[in-house]
């Protein structure tokens, strides 16, 4: 007869304690496969507990497979495969001694948004309004794979007014960041195609396509972007570009080159262009560059944009605009997916756009970034290192290029900056085949530095670089 003590339960219920005791006897081999367990009544009487307690313990052991029952015969121990004995833990090794990594005090390589520029009060009020007025549409999960209709309607209106795109809400697909949208595009267009990427370009983009098992070609650019003849000879079917402000070069593709690429796409039904318009709102001089899709008459351009640049990098809402025939194919082929963005966030963003807050925020941020850029340009023009510096692409978006007159390698300059706690990247860091280490072209991404830290960070940077510059 099984005998267990119930003197110290340590807060556990009686049936849980009994279950644990019997389970321990089974797994340790005290009870063997096929052994008959006492009846519920006999075990309850022997242990001085209620039949319900035994019944609950047996029921848990039964559902987990430690015992089995036979009608009118009782409960038996099930055959349990023995777990392999745990391997001896490896002997602890002495920790490797590394030189302490330098502390980063400022970065000109990362794109971010100063926290104090986000419209917290407005967003919180709109979110409370969304939550307090939530009806069945905000709570049900059976929403369109493309996102909630009010947000897609607000985006269609915004794109018409500010980007010159005349699209229907059905063409707009909402996703949690551009990465999720790239994954959908690969599934929509297929993995058998060759994808062409700009070289130099955004490293994460190539990584996303590789994880989707698609073959990529990295195409060189001239001063106007990717050439149509180079694209034709590459054998690519899908071209991914950012024509209004290429990252990292800052190239703005002229309209003649855009028509050449559209002509290339039109020649075959399998060809498409993915247009990444990631920071179109922040052209700091003149009118925004019209998107490629606005002159696409053959329905060959997939337009992508994100709120990560305009609101915050952690604001993981992006969207793409599919040509009409691809939108229909999307819902036919991938319509079973659920939208990856919370309904509450979508409804709140729809109000933020519809009520004009987004437009006002963009205007305010454009002024903010223009002021910060002007301060940076003034510093570069008046500092001791000015004769060795040449600025390029300062009006196109949220970063520009700074050419350095130097014979030092980019790696040497990067390490020198790190000794002052300043993180930088050069154009050479963004080439797929990093065979060259002498671009001497620094990317100046100034978005994330607070105003009071800009000049001190620049002082540290040029204190490190000046010994290598040809002044």
């Amino acid at each position: 007869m099984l005998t267990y003590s119930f003197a110290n339960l340590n807060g556990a219920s009686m049936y849980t304690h009994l279950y644990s005791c019997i389970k321990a006897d089974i797994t340790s081999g005290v009870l063997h496969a096929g052994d008959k367990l006492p009846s519920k009544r006999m075990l309850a009487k022997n242990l001085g507990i209620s039949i319900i307690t035994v019944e609950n313990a047996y029921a848990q052991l039964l559902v987990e497979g430690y015992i089995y029952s036979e009608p009118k015969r009782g409960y038996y121990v099930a055959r349990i495969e023995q777990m392999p004995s745990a391997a001896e833990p490896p002997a602890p090794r002495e920790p490797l001694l590394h030189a302490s990594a330098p502390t980063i005090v400022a970065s000109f390589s990362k794109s971010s948004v100063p926290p104090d520029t986000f419209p917290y009060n407005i967003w919180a009020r709109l979110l409370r309004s969304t939550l307090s007025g939530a009806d069945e549409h905000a709570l049900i999960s059976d929403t369109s794979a493309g996102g909630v209709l009010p947000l897609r309607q607000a985006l269609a209106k915004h794109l018409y007014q500010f980007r010159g795109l005349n699209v229907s809400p059905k063409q707009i697909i909402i996703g949690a960041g551009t990465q999720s949208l790239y994954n959908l595009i690969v599934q929509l267009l297929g993995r058998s195609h060759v994808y062409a990427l700009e070289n130099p370009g955004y490293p994460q983009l190539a990584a996303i396509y590789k994880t989707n098992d698609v073959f990529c070609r990295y195409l060189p650019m001239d001063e106007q972007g990717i050439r149509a003849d180079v694209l034709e000879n590459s054998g690519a079917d899908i071209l991914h570009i950012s024509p209004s402000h290429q990252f990292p070069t800052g190239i703005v593709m002229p309209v003649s080159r855009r028509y050449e690429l559209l002509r290339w796409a039109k020649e075959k039904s399998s060809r498409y262009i993915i247009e990444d318009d990631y920071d179109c709102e922040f052209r700091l001089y003149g009118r925004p560059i019209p998107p490629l899709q606005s002159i696409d008459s053959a329905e060959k351009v997939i337009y992508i944009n994100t709120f990560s640049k305009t609101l915050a990098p952690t604001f993981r809402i992006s969207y793409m605009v599919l040509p009409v025939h691809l939108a229909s194919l999307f819902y036919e082929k991938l319509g079973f997916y659920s939208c990856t963005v919370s309904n509450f966030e979508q409804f709140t963003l729809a109000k933020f756009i519809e009520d004009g807050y987004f437009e006002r925020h963009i205007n305010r941020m454009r002024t903010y970034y223009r002021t910060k850029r002007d301060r940076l340009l003034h510093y570069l023009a008046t500092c001791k290192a000015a004769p060795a510096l040449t600025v390029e692409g300062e009006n196109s978006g949220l970063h520009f290029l700074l050419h350095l007159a130097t014979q030092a390698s980019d790696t040497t300059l990067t390490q020198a900056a790190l000794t002052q706690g300043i993180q930088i990247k050069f154009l050479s860091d963004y080439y797929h085949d990093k065979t060259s280490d002498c671009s001497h072209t620094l990317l100046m991404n100034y978005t994330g530095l607070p105003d009071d830290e800009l000049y001190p960070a620049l002082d540290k940077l040029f204190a490190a670089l000046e010994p290598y510059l040809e002044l």
Side-chain angles (χ1 to χ4, degrees):
M1 179 63 67
L2 301 178
T3 302
Y4 304 111
S5 171
F6 288 79
N8 187 7
L9 299 181
N10 293 323
S13 64
M14 294 183 69
Y15 100 84
T16 300
H17 178 71
L18 178 58
Y19 151 82
S20 299
C21 291
I22 299 175
K23 175 183 172 181
D25 281 351
I26 294 173
T27 56
S28 65
V30 174
L31 293 173
H32 301 89
D35 286 353
K36 190 176 188 300
L37 297 177
S39 69
K40 292 179 284 187
R41 188 177 298 277
M42 289 179 60
L43 185 58
K45 182 178 180 180
N46 181 63
L47 298 178
I49 57 178
S50 70
I51 295 178
I52 293 297
T53 298
V54 178
E55 189 175 75
N56 288 340
Y58 277 10
Q60 188 63 34
L61 291 165
L62 184 67
V63 76
E64 292 185 18
Y66 289 100
I67 65 176
Y68 65 92
S69 66
E70 293 187 0
K72 298 183 179 180
R73 295 190 61 190
Y75 295 91
Y76 296 82
V77 177
R79 183 174 298 279
I80 308 296
E81 291 294 332
Q82 294 298 313
M83 292 291 293
S85 58
E88 288 292 325
R93 295 186 299 177
E94 290 295 322
L96 297 176
L97 297 179
H98 295 283
S100 58
T103 302
I104 304 299
V105 297
S107 175
F108 288 98
S109 65
K110 293 182 179 179
S111 175
S112 60
V113 177
D116 57 352
T117 63
F118 185 80
Y120 291 101
N121 293 336
I122 295 173
W123 186 262
R125 176 163 51 81
L126 293 176
L127 181 58
R128 284 195 300 269
S129 174
T130 299
L131 292 172
S132 63
D135 55 17
E136 68 276 8
H137 298 295
L139 297 174
I140 60 175
S141 60
D142 187 23
T143 56
S144 168
V148 301
L149 183 58
L151 177 55
R152 290 183 288 136
Q153 289 173 328
L155 282 171
K157 183 178 179 181
H158 170 77
L159 288 171
Y160 178 74
Q161 293 176 339
F162 297 99
R163 299 300 289 137
L165 294 179
N166 189 8
V167 299
S168 72
K170 187 175 181 180
Q171 293 175 251
I172 299 174
I173 310 298
I174 311 297
T178 52
Q179 296 177 13
S180 67
L181 297 179
Y182 297 150
N183 295 335
L184 289 177
I185 289 174
V186 171
Q187 294 179 62
L188 181 63
L189 300 182
R191 290 181 168 82
S192 60
H193 299 300
V194 175
Y195 285 64
L197 307 181
E198 297 164 319
N199 191 28
Y202 190 50
Q204 272 191 298
L205 182 60
I208 293 168
Y209 282 129
K210 283 184 177 179
T211 58
N212 276 282
D213 297 324
V214 298
F215 184 77
C216 296
R217 293 194 183 278
Y218 304 90
L219 305 187
M221 298 179 291
D222 61 17
E223 66 278 1
Q224 296 183 346
I226 288 178
R227 286 173 23 203
D229 59 333
V230 173
L231 179 58
E232 182 69 44
N233 294 332
S234 72
D237 302 294
I238 314 298
L239 171 63
H240 192 124
I241 56 175
S242 47
S244 295
H245 186 221
Q246 200 274 337
F247 184 88
T249 65
I251 291 173
V252 177
M253 185 178 291
V255 68
S256 59
R257 181 64 57 86
R258 295 178 181 225
Y259 276 118
E260 289 176 13
L261 296 182
L262 288 173
R263 192 177 303 114
W264 166 85
K266 188 177 179 181
E267 288 175 354
K268 290 186 179 180
S269 61
S270 60
R271 291 177 175 175
Y272 289 95
I273 299 174
I274 302 170
E275 177 185 17
D276 190 342
D277 208 21
Y278 71 101
D279 71 347
C280 64
E281 296 88 356
F282 295 120
R283 181 169 176 80
L284 301 181
Y285 178 79
R287 294 178 56 82
I289 305 298
L292 182 64
Q293 195 184 67
S294 66
I295 58 172
D296 173 29
S297 60
E299 294 194 359
K300 285 294 185 176
V301 177
I302 299 171
Y303 176 92
I304 289 185
N305 207 335
T306 178
F307 290 94
S308 297
K309 294 289 185 183
T310 52
L311 293 177
T314 54
F315 200 86
R316 306 301 299 166
I317 301 183
S318 300
Y319 62 94
M320 63 180 173
V321 180
L322 297 173
V324 174
H325 69 284
L326 282 185
S328 299
L329 181 62
F330 172 84
Y331 285 104
E332 176 185 329
K333 187 177 179 180
L334 304 176
F336 61 89
Y337 278 125
S338 296
C339 181
T340 52
V341 180
S342 158
N343 279 11
F344 290 120
E345 288 185 331
Q346 291 189 66
F347 280 116
T348 304
L349 181 56
K351 290 182 179 179
F352 189 75
I353 298 172
E354 191 66 33
D355 293 349
Y357 294 114
F358 183 59
E359 179 186 356
R360 289 193 285 274
H361 175 72
I362 292 298
N363 291 337
R364 183 169 60 253
M365 292 304 297
R366 190 182 292 117
T367 301
Y368 172 83
Y369 286 133
R370 185 185 295 112
T371 301
K372 178 172 287 189
R373 181 210 57 177
D374 289 346
R375 291 183 64 213
L376 176 53
L377 293 176
H378 175 75
Y379 181 99
L380 298 176
T382 58
C383 70
K384 181 181 177 182
L389 309 179
T390 304
V391 174
E392 180 183 333
E394 66 273 23
N395 293 318
S396 298
L398 298 182
H399 78 275
F400 60 83
L401 302 182
L402 183 65
H403 302 288
L404 308 180
T406 179
Q407 296 301 314
S409 70
D410 294 350
T411 299
T412 298
L413 298 172
T414 300
Q415 292 301 320
L418 278 176
T419 63
Q420 295 290 327
I422 305 299
Q423 187 177 54
I424 57 175
K425 281 194 174 182
F426 285 85
L427 200 58
S428 57
D429 294 318
Y430 294 93
Y431 280 91
H432 173 66
D433 184 11
K434 297 180 175 61
T435 56
S436 174
D437 189 30
C438 56
S439 68
H440 309 319
T441 303
L442 181 63
L443 263 73
M444 296 299 290
N445 197 326
Y446 52 88
T447 57
L449 282 173
D451 291 341
D452 59 348
E453 295 180 17
L454 180 61
Y455 281 175
L458 288 168
D459 288 339
K460 289 179 178 292
L461 173 61
F462 285 101
L465 297 186
E466 279 178 12
Y468 301 95
L469 300 180
E470 299 173 354
L471 298 173

